[in-house]
Amino acid sequence: MKFLKFLLLFITVQVSAQQGGMWIPSLLEGMNETEMTNLGSKLSAQDIYDVNNSSLKDAIGHFNGGCTSEIISDQGLILTNHHCGFGQIQSHSSLENDYLKDGFWAMNLDEELPNEDLFIEFIVRIEDVTEQVLAGVTDTMTSKEKQSQISKNSNAYEATVTKEAWQDTKIKSFYEGNQYFLFVTERFDDIRLVGAPPSSIGKFGSDTDNWVFPRHTGDFALFRIYADENNRPAKYSKDNKPYTPKHFLPVSLDGVEEGDFTLVFGFPGRTNEYLPSVAIEHITKEFNPSNIEIREAALKVIDAKMKSSDDVRIKYASKQARIANAWKKWIGENLGIEKSNAIANRREFEAQFTEALKQKALESKYGTILPEFEKLYKDFAAVNIKRRNFIEVFIVTNELMQMTFRTYQFERAILEKPELFDRAKASLEETFKGIHKNYDVAVDRGVFENVMPLYTAKVDASIYDKTALTDLEGALKLLNGKQKDVIKKLNKDAAYKYAKPLIEAFYNTIDPEFQEKNLAISTLQTQYMTALMEALPEERYFPDANSTLRVTYGQVKGYSPRDAVYYEPVSYLDGVIEKFVPGDYEFDVPKKLLDLYESKDYGQYADSNGKVPVCFLGTNHTTGGNSGSPAIDAHGNLVGLNFDRVWEGTMSDMNYDPEICRNIMVDARYILFIIDKYAGAKHLIEEMTLVHPKKNKE
């Protein structure tokens, strides 16, 4: 396979010390190992990934499929972000026990709280299976034929994989379908909440500070993995014991300074580093702005209601955070693309690509790719925007519309397969219960009135006065009876009658058109990736993120976001006090933390300057999914916890620029300080292994 030969070529010959990239941990020997050494690492590739011996990868877990976590003790103690565990903290909270507001700390194993449906998954091993997956795939096949053959090959190969009974497998595509890897995994389902700071620490700065620096957020939470008597994965049981891991991360008390090596290990979600310039232009100038407007309209209502009611604040805390996170990220992404001149730079790269095609007599093979991208995106833009706007209104921001959307899916499913009625009905009942658990009709109506005009001219807020869906008891009554009666009742409901034509238009027109046009673009993107590696093999290529285990390495480093402004790489507790606004939901500070600051009772967690570090910056290439990833020092110790990026640097999903892109990490010493001095949970400190790698070196 010619494209695979090109892939192996660029993997073996690149040996510079450039930063950026999300690398497959099983392929670090050679180029990556050399680069890490040049940046200050003392780790070998085998220290990071080893199948036969314990290594760093054994301490890194995929947290609930969306974040990263790491083991920090020999008793399965897990560290991740506060915002990653936010849903679990919220689920245990009430007005009587407000763990969001007050924090939660289990002072012994018996007090640790189980969490339904929460899981952590570890990677056992990674294998290159490109040859097996692409067997029989030819250039003459259509896209559907290729995918059918790939799926057939993948399923057949997975059936032959040697693994333990409790382990699982998955095959993932890399380099736009030019390479495939098998992952053997272990999933633990008994995960218990151990500790979480109050939101005034874990979410300090909230929306105002989100995606920006200087940051002063103690964004961490602690969980614990439990296993059965054989130390294997098991469902929750009171008889389960704390998990004994293959490896856990010692925690460094020596901190960081500018230029220190940092390794971020985790499960980044999705990047698109090889998009053509026309795609970046569409995303930042058309796609993002329309969705930013919808989320802004929703947040205007939710934020105001949360400030005026503690009940609403608890109910909508997690929803508001989800909506606000992407809203602000998209704004920063647009700013970063503009500041870095990314579109013009990508066009310049495309000119080099075009020239290389001429020089290597590849024009007849690949010369139509870029013009075809221009044509496809021009035709794709409108439906891409409309489809995403529908998702924003009917799934992300408005809960009544979400209920109508799920109801439509229910109706469609049982009309196609009547035998599924009981199962589909039970599923919809659970959906209604889940939404109503944290639902406020006044908030949702306000959101509807703000966002719906941005999607359609047909806006009728009176449906809130007529529908049964805004009341859980009424919603469930709609589902009582035989199939025919249920369908009849649903179609008489005011909200469902209003939404159904819009949902039908999505399913019958918008989504099919999107899928057809997106498939053509995806097929061309695969061809473009192959062409890039063939025409410009000397360029640096790394696989896009796809929620698989990756390493990204860099250094602690400040940055300049704009003219005459420079941010030092470390923030301190002093900055928390400077931002303190009594009673403010974003910048309030707990009294005990104020007292600790006043008395300078910092224990062993202060820096050499006598101040407590809170957060620091690195040049690591991260994205969504890296939340909760450990920041690991040159010796393999935990020095921080990744949780964010700088605003302009969010563009790294499409365009990593080492001058602008920075990830933000909580300093491990601040985490220890809060656990020890603020929470008084000294038993957790004693459970960890605290080390002094820099002092030992001296």
Side-chain angles (χ1 to χ4, degrees):
M1 296 180 185
K2 189 178 289 185
F3 53 79
L4 184 56
K5 292 179 182 177
F6 285 115
L7 184 63
L8 294 174
L9 175 65
F10 79 73
I11 284 178
T12 56
V13 301
Q14 300 272 345
V15 291
S16 66
Q18 298 179 65
Q19 296 181 60
M22 300 172 176
W23 303 100
I24 302 168
S26 58
L27 299 178
L28 294 177
E29 291 184 359
M31 174 188 72
N32 296 112
E33 194 170 30
T34 300
E35 286 186 340
M36 288 189 290
T37 299
N38 290 342
L39 291 170
S41 173
K42 307 301 180 186
L43 298 166
S44 68
Q46 198 170 12
D47 291 332
I48 297 169
Y49 176 91
D50 193 329
V51 174
N52 300 314
N53 302 288
S54 68
S55 57
L56 291 179
K57 65 101 173 158
D58 296 314
I60 315 303
H62 204 179
F63 188 85
N64 219 27
C67 285
T68 302
S69 58
E70 53 278 350
I71 307 176
I72 56 171
S73 85
D74 61 1
Q75 298 176 53
L77 187 63
I78 288 287
L79 179 66
T80 190
N81 286 152
H82 185 271
H83 76 259
C84 292
F86 202 84
Q88 284 71 41
I89 302 166
Q90 181 189 42
S91 70
H92 292 296
S93 294
S94 63
L95 289 174
E96 294 76 26
N97 294 300
D98 193 343
Y99 298 139
L100 290 176
K101 182 178 180 180
D102 303 325
F104 169 79
W105 304 96
M107 292 302 172
N108 54 59
L109 295 179
D110 291 337
E111 293 181 0
E112 296 177 358
L113 302 176
N115 300 277
E116 188 176 358
D117 298 327
L118 177 61
F119 68 90
I120 296 177
E121 188 175 71
F122 293 91
I123 303 300
V124 178
R125 68 179 188 273
I126 305 171
E127 298 175 9
D128 187 335
V129 293
T130 306
E131 185 176 350
Q132 295 90 332
V133 170
L134 294 180
V137 176
T138 66
D139 292 338
T140 60
M141 288 179 168
T142 65
S143 296
K144 288 185 178 179
E145 288 171 339
K146 287 180 180 179
Q147 191 53 55
S148 176
Q149 185 66 37
I150 287 169
S151 296
K152 179 181 176 182
N153 291 344
S154 297
N155 292 336
Y157 186 78
E158 281 190 80
T160 70
V161 174
T162 301
K163 61 181 180 64
E164 301 293 347
W166 61 88
Q167 295 173 343
D168 204 353
T169 61
K170 64 181 79 172
I171 291 176
K172 301 282 281 190
S173 165
F174 292 76
Y175 295 105
E176 302 290 346
N178 282 299
Q179 194 169 21
Y180 290 83
F181 284 87
L182 168 82
F183 294 82
V184 177
T185 62
E186 281 185 343
R187 169 172 163 159
F188 291 82
D189 292 292
D190 188 353
I191 313 296
R192 306 184 196 180
L193 177 63
V194 174
S199 292
S200 53
I201 292 174
K203 207 176 176 225
F204 182 81
S206 193
D207 300 328
T208 299
D209 278 5
N210 192 23
W211 300 110
V212 298
F213 204 78
R215 199 70 181 273
H216 299 89
T217 310
D219 193 351
F220 77 93
L222 296 165
F223 291 79
R224 191 184 305 279
I225 299 174
Y226 281 73
D228 67 14
E229 59 183 3
N230 298 311
N231 203 41
R232 294 172 182 170
K235 295 294 184 182
Y236 170 79
S237 168
K238 60 182 178 58
D239 296 324
N240 288 344
K241 305 295 182 184
Y243 172 61
T244 301
K246 299 172 187 174
H247 185 81
F248 67 90
L249 301 179
V251 184
S252 172
L253 286 169
D254 290 345
V256 298
E257 54 190 307
E258 190 143 19
D260 278 359
F261 172 81
T262 52
L263 176 80
V264 171
F265 213 154
F267 294 83
R270 186 65 185 160
T271 57
N272 291 285
E273 300 293 342
Y274 306 104
L275 291 175
S277 58
V278 64
I280 299 175
E281 190 168 30
H282 162 60
I283 291 168
T284 57
K285 295 186 178 180
E286 299 174 318
F287 184 81
N288 281 356
S290 68
N291 297 306
I292 288 168
E293 187 179 16
I294 291 172
R295 292 206 177 194
E296 199 164 78
L299 288 168
K300 185 176 181 180
V301 176
I302 296 171
D303 289 349
K305 296 288 188 181
M306 285 178 66
K307 288 180 180 179
S308 64
S309 166
D310 278 345
D311 182 53
V312 172
R313 174 182 57 79
I314 292 173
K315 286 180 177 178
Y316 278 80
S318 184
K319 300 171 194 173
Q320 191 274 350
R322 271 198 315 272
I323 294 170
N325 194 52
W327 163 73
K328 194 167 184 179
K329 185 256 187 184
W330 292 330
I331 296 172
E333 187 172 74
N334 290 356
L335 290 172
I337 291 294
E338 183 178 357
K339 177 178 172 60
S340 65
N341 207 24
I343 296 171
N345 291 340
R346 193 63 57 95
R347 288 193 180 120
E348 186 177 314
F349 175 76
E350 289 165 358
Q352 295 173 22
F353 167 71
T354 301
E355 182 60 30
L357 294 181
K358 293 178 183 178
Q359 296 293 330
K360 297 182 179 181
L362 294 171
E363 280 186 291
S364 61
K365 189 175 182 181
Y366 300 124
T368 61
I369 290 177
L370 293 177
E372 185 66 13
F373 269 133
E374 293 283 345
K375 177 184 174 183
L376 290 176
Y377 271 99
K378 184 177 181 180
D379 192 39
F380 177 64
V383 71
N384 190 34
I385 292 168
K386 189 67 175 178
R387 179 180 182 272
R388 184 65 208 189
N389 288 172
F390 177 90
I391 292 170
E392 290 295 317
V393 171
F394 280 80
I395 299 176
V396 177
T397 59
N398 185 255
E399 291 158 300
L400 178 57
M401 290 302 98
Q402 184 183 355
M403 284 187 275
T404 64
F405 179 69
R406 301 305 179 195
T407 299
Y408 180 82
Q409 291 179 317
F410 162 77
E411 181 183 7
R412 199 162 104 161
I414 62 174
L415 287 176
E416 291 177 0
K417 294 185 177 181
E419 66 273 16
L420 295 178
F421 176 68
D422 289 337
R423 191 191 312 173
K425 174 183 165 182
S427 176
L428 186 58
E429 286 174 342
E430 288 305 309
T431 296
F432 287 164
K433 290 175 184 177
I435 291 173
H436 277 276
K437 181 181 178 183
N438 293 297
Y439 182 69
D440 186 288
V441 65
V443 174
D444 197 46
R445 182 170 186 157
V447 170
F448 177 90
E449 291 172 345
N450 265 20
V451 304
M452 193 54 70
L454 300 175
Y455 184 76
T456 178
K458 298 177 181 178
V459 180
D460 182 9
S462 72
I463 60 174
Y464 277 83
D465 300 319
K466 306 169 186 175
T467 181
L469 292 173
T470 54
D471 173 71
L472 179 58
E473 185 177 348
L476 295 177
K477 280 184 179 179
L478 288 176
L479 301 180
N480 288 341
K482 296 181 179 180
Q483 178 177 323
K484 185 178 179 180
D485 296 329
V486 169
I487 294 296
K488 187 175 181 180
K489 284 191 289 182
L490 289 174
N491 279 278
K492 284 185 177 181
D493 184 84
Y496 191 53
K497 284 174 66 176
Y498 166 81
K500 188 173 180 179
L502 296 171
I503 301 170
E504 285 179 327
F506 172 79
Y507 272 110
N508 297 334
T509 304
I510 298 170
D511 195 52
E513 182 184 352
F514 168 85
Q515 297 299 341
E516 179 185 354
K517 293 177 177 179
N518 189 55
L519 177 61
I521 287 175
S522 298
T523 301
L524 191 62
Q525 189 71 44
T526 298
Q527 187 182 9
Y528 183 44
M529 189 78 247
T530 306
L532 286 175
M533 293 190 289
E534 189 170 346
L536 298 168
E538 71 281 358
E539 287 291 329
R540 177 190 181 91
Y541 302 99
F542 48 83
D544 273 317
N546 60 358
S547 294
T548 58
L549 188 62
R550 306 292 184 89
V551 297
T552 171
Y553 40 83
Q555 293 177 315
V556 176
K557 193 174 182 181
Y559 85 114
S560 179
R562 53 192 176 275
D563 183 51
V565 174
Y566 181 79
Y567 289 136
E568 297 291 340
V570 181
S571 67
Y572 293 93
L573 183 57
D574 303 60
V576 174
I577 307 305
E578 289 169 2
K579 291 179 176 179
F580 170 42
V581 179
D584 185 272
Y585 86 103
E586 292 186 302
F587 295 104
D588 202 0
V589 176
K591 183 179 184 303
K592 186 166 185 180
L593 187 57
L594 291 171
D595 292 342
L596 289 168
Y597 178 78
E598 287 298 321
S599 65
K600 301 295 183 282
D601 185 8
Y602 301 152
Q604 59 185 331
Y605 310 117
D607 212 337
S608 57
N609 57 16
K611 300 193 295 184
V612 175
V614 177
C615 297
F616 64 93
L617 293 171
T619 60
N620 303 88
H621 188 177
T622 62
T623 189
N626 278 124
S627 289
S629 288
I632 297 170
D633 69 7
H635 307 279
N637 306 304
L638 183 80
V639 289
L641 182 65
N642 186 80
F643 72 99
D644 208 354
R645 285 173 282 171
V646 298
W647 206 17
E648 303 84 356
T650 58
M651 67 158 183
S652 64
D653 288 349
M654 295 183 285
N655 180 56
Y656 174 83
D657 183 337
E659 293 301 313
I660 297 175
C661 296
R662 296 288 182 274
N663 62 310
I664 307 175
M665 296 158 276
V666 189
D667 195 295
R669 290 167 297 174
Y670 189 58
I671 295 172
L672 296 175
F673 168 71
I674 295 298
I675 294 171
D676 186 349
K677 292 295 183 176
Y678 178 84
K682 295 183 184 298
H683 63 291
L684 297 176
I685 301 294
E686 293 168 357
E687 185 180 327
M688 303 176 205
T689 299
L690 307 184
V691 296
H692 285 283
K694 291 183 178 179
K695 291 182 180 179
N696 290 342
K697 181 182 175 183
E698 294 170 358

